[in-house]
Amino acid sequence: MAEITAAAVKELRDRTDAPMMECKKALVEANGDLAKAEELLRIRLGNKASKASSRTAAEAWSPINVSGDGRVGRDRSK
């Protein structure tokens, strides 16, 4: 069995955007062969990994009140 390094897991994760443990399992199954592990992940996960990596955080806002003396405070009425 080939030794699976953290660098190999990171490289596979960068290539596929798959979860870390899935990358490690695929590398163990492929005996450390990155190309074979990448193919195993594509078969096993399909588009699940790429869906998660394409999500972006939405912008949010929070209402605030600025008092007459210039102090800023949170609007507790909402």
Side-chain angles (χ1 to χ4, degrees):
M1 182 169 114
E3 185 174 329
I4 308 303
T5 63
V9 174
K10 182 182 181 325
E11 184 177 346
L12 184 60
R13 185 173 156 87
D14 290 342
R15 286 185 187 181
T16 61
D17 292 326
M20 182 187 69
M21 289 307 294
E22 290 297 322
C23 290
K24 184 174 180 179
K25 288 176 189 176
L27 280 168
V28 168
E29 191 175 329
N31 291 324
D33 183 8
L34 282 172
K36 188 175 178 184
E38 188 174 353
E39 183 63 29
L40 286 170
L41 283 173
R42 292 198 193 285
I43 291 169
R44 197 178 296 159
L45 298 178
N47 279 339
K48 286 183 188 177
S50 61
K51 284 182 191 175
S53 68
S54 67
R55 291 187 206 140
T56 57
E59 292 182 24
W61 63 275
S62 177
I64 59 170
N65 284 339
V66 179
S67 63
D69 60 359
R71 295 176 30 201
V72 178
R74 205 172 119 219
D75 182 7
R76 298 197 183 269
S77 66
K78 297 186 189 243

